[in-house]
């Protein structure tokens, strides 16, 4: 296999193995190039997971369940497909940032709170509210657009990953996923990936609704991807500022926040 092919293969394995519960062979090498490929492929992994959730939602709708029930089952499917790691990142990130509000806790202390993984009251509240927003917004989006919104929203949330792993953004601590992927993605690719996802989202949503790719429909999908990416990156940017860099928890929180923001946009009538 050529060097480029080896990098692509190992990066794809890293993306699938890190961002989902799918069992794949262990990458033979994980360096900066492989980590960059993995982060750039993250929206594709999200779209595939969203497609699986879409099948669950469509099955639920076909047997006569309400859209709210179908949405809850789809969100649960996405959580199961990722092992709940991204949702865990939401709770840990909120708890870490909350700890920094105390004058007795510095960055190292906040990172230790996040590393322990036990969920505090603020983290639990944030997690519950986020899931409620995702389920309710998805239920409305299913009514308006159909199940095609699921791969679009899941990909939109993961558009934050190449942005947050762009060169110049460092890890908050040595070790862990954050240290593996921080600063690995060339800046042009960090911008190109969300743009490509936005274009493909318009095509997918148009095909999923059977309405074709009208300018209004494509624009709505583009907006969902843009808002999801910006919202996730903004949340993570706050965490990076307070913690001194990214961690795996921060990346997971950005994914879930971005997905929720995309769903809210898709829940609005275009």
């Amino acid at each position: 296999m050529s060097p480029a092919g080896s990098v692509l293969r190992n990066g794809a394995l890293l993306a699938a193995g890190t961002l989902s519960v799918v069992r794949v062979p262990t990458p033979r090498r994980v360096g900066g190039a492989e980590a960059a490929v993995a982060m750039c492929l993250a929206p594709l992994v999200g779209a595939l997971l969203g497609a699986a959730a879409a099948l669950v939602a469509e099955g639920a709708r076909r047997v006569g369940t309400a859209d709210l029930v179908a949405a809850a089952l789809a969100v649960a499917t996405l959580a199961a497909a990722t092992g709940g790691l991204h949702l865990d990142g939401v709770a840990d990130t909120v708890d870490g940032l909350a700890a920094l509000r105390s004058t007795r806790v510095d960055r190292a202390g906040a990172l230790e709170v996040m590393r322990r993984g036990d969920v505090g009251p603020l983290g639990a509240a944030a997690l519950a509210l986020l899931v409620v927003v995702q389920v309710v917004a998805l239920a409305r989006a299913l009514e308006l657009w159909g199940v095609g919104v699921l791969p679009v929203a899941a990909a939109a949330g993961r558009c934050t990953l190449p942005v947050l792993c762009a060169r110049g953004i460092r890890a908050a601590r040595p070790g862990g996923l954050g240290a593996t992927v921080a600063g690995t993605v060339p800046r042009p690719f960090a911008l190109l990936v969300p743009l490509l996802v936005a274009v493909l989202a318009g095509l997918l949503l148009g095909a999923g609704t059977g309405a074709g790719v009208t300018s209004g429909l494509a624009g709505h999908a583009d907006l969902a991807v843009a808002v999801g990416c910006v919202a996730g990156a903004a949340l993570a940017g706050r965490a990076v500022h307070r913690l001194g860099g990214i961690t795996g928890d921060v990346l997971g929180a950005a994914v879930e926040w971005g997905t929720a923001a995309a769903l809210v946009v898709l829940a609005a009538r275009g």
Side-chain angles (χ1 to χ4, degrees), residues 54-169:
L55 291 176
V56 172
E58 182 63 21
R61 297 176 88 197
R62 286 182 179 272
V63 299
T65 62
D67 283 336
L68 189 61
V69 175
L73 291 173
V75 170
T77 299
L78 280 174
T82 59
L85 290 178
H86 299 328
L87 291 173
D88 180 67
V90 172
D92 287 345
T93 299
V94 170
D95 283 338
L97 293 177
L100 282 172
R101 297 174 61 185
S102 170
T103 57
R104 296 173 296 176
V105 178
D106 57 9
R107 285 180 176 177
L111 289 170
E112 178 60 23
V113 168
M114 296 168 66
R115 190 193 65 80
R116 288 202 306 263
D118 50 340
V119 180
L122 289 179
L127 185 58
L129 289 172
L130 182 72
V131 171
V132 168
V133 169
Q134 287 186 351
V135 170
V136 174
L138 176 56
R140 176 58 174 163
L142 289 175
E143 179 185 348
L144 290 175
W145 308 109
V147 297
V149 298
L150 276 157
V152 169
R158 286 154 183 83
C159 281
T160 60
L161 297 184
V163 174
L164 294 173
C165 296
R167 288 177 181 168
I169 300 177

Side-chain angles (χ1 to χ4, degrees), residues 14 18 30-36 39 111 164-166 169-185 240 244-251:
L14 180 63
T18 302
V30 177
E34 290 80 9
M39 294 300 96
L111 289 170
L164 294 173
C165 296
I169 300 177
R170 62 184 182 180
R173 60 185 172 210
L177 178 62
T180 300
V181 300
T184 61
V185 179
V240 167
I246 61 171
T247 68
D249 285 330
V250 170
L251 295 178

